[in-house]
Amino acid sequence: MPDFTVQHVAKIDYALLNSLGIKHLMFDLDQTLRRPYSRSIDTPIIELFNDIRKTGFFETTSLVSNNILSLDKFGEEIGTRIFQPFKRGLRIVRKPNPLYFEEVLSEINASPETVVMIGDRLKTDILGGNQAGVYTIYVKKLGPIDYWFDWILFTRLRERLSLKKALVATRQTGGKSL
């Protein structure tokens, strides 16, 4: 379960995050900040990152992605650092693997309670963030389409079912649901 849910990254209350002691923002790239198959980030997202920087609330903003292609262009567009899958021995380490998040936290010199992971996927962004002990924000995916592999693997359907089960379990145990 995410700590918060919002429709779009522009709807996040960044002042609230600052009041919670958040100093580091980690954003998923694909379908959180850019539409599927897009070669650039939309202007409103670039402006949002400029506004976030102007607040002075946060020490770092980072892109965390499972994409193995070069993403330098996207980091330059929004002025942020990019973290991608890496090799550890013979294994490729990516979200939601806790080692991936440990590496990012180490690189940005942050403790988990000062970090938020913002993404559109429950099984990678939110699960990985939860396992790392950081705050998590689940956002609605950008764009009306998905990547081809999401269609084949029924990714969004499986995530909706998982979220629904988690909400039912939360209600049955008397916990608060989102």
Side-chain angles (χ1 to χ4, degrees), residues 6 8-9 12 14 17 22 24-29 32-33 49 52 62 64 95 101 115-121 125-126 129 134-139:
V6 295
H8 188 272
V9 292
I12 295 171
Y14 293 97
L17 293 179
I22 301 298
H24 308 275
L25 305 175
M26 295 190 309
F27 290 88
D28 172 58
L29 175 62
T32 300
L33 298 179
F49 271 75
I52 289 170
S62 303
V64 291
K95 298 179 294 182
F101 286 90
V115 179
V116 66
M117 174 65 212
I118 302 161
D120 68 299
R121 294 183 183 269
D125 304 321
I126 304 307
V134 304
Y135 284 96
T136 54
I137 301 175
Y138 181 62
V139 299

Side-chain angles (χ1 to χ4, degrees), residues 7-178:
Q7 289 294 310
H8 188 272
V9 292
K11 301 287 185 187
I12 295 171
D13 185 341
Y14 293 97
L16 173 64
L17 293 179
N18 180 58
S19 73
L20 292 172
I22 301 298
K23 296 294 176 198
H24 308 275
L25 305 175
M26 295 190 309
F27 290 88
D28 172 58
L29 175 62
D30 292 322
Q31 293 184 282
T32 300
L33 298 179
R34 79 168 176 150
R35 297 176 191 283
Y37 308 106
S38 176
R39 295 177 187 251
S40 63
I41 294 176
D42 293 340
T43 302
I45 299 289
I46 295 170
E47 291 170 355
L48 172 66
F49 271 75
N50 288 333
D51 292 343
I52 289 170
R53 255 188 302 287
K54 287 177 190 173
T55 68
F57 291 158
F58 307 104
E59 294 174 20
T60 65
T61 56
S62 303
L63 293 181
V64 291
S65 178
N66 278 343
N67 194 325
I68 59 171
L69 302 174
S70 175
L71 302 176
D72 293 341
K73 174 185 176 196
F74 300 106
E76 291 168 7
E77 284 182 323
I78 58 175
T80 191
R81 189 168 176 189
I82 301 167
F83 294 93
Q84 293 181 263
F86 59 91
K87 281 190 133 183
R88 176 82 41 101
L90 297 175
R91 293 179 34 204
I92 295 178
V93 179
R94 60 181 61 208
K95 298 179 294 182
N97 189 322
L99 293 174
Y100 181 92
F101 286 90
E102 287 174 19
E103 180 74 19
V104 174
L105 292 175
S106 175
E107 287 291 320
I108 63 174
N109 195 29
S111 58
E113 64 275 3
T114 65
V115 179
V116 66
M117 174 65 212
I118 302 161
D120 68 299
R121 294 183 183 269
L122 290 172
K123 302 285 184 178
T124 54
D125 304 321
I126 304 307
L127 176 61
N130 287 345
Q131 290 174 342
V134 304
Y135 284 96
T136 54
I137 301 175
Y138 181 62
V139 299
K140 184 178 177 185
K141 73 176 178 78
L142 278 181
I145 63 170
D146 262 317
Y147 289 102
W148 63 269
F149 52 84
D150 288 321
W151 286 101
I152 292 171
L153 299 172
F154 300 103
T155 303
R156 299 296 174 176
L157 174 63
R158 290 186 358 234
E159 287 193 346
R160 280 195 303 275
L161 292 173
S162 293
L163 186 57
K164 186 176 182 179
K165 285 180 187 176
L167 287 171
V168 169
T170 300
R171 287 185 189 119
Q172 289 174 348
T173 60
K176 292 181 180 178
S177 62
L178 298 173

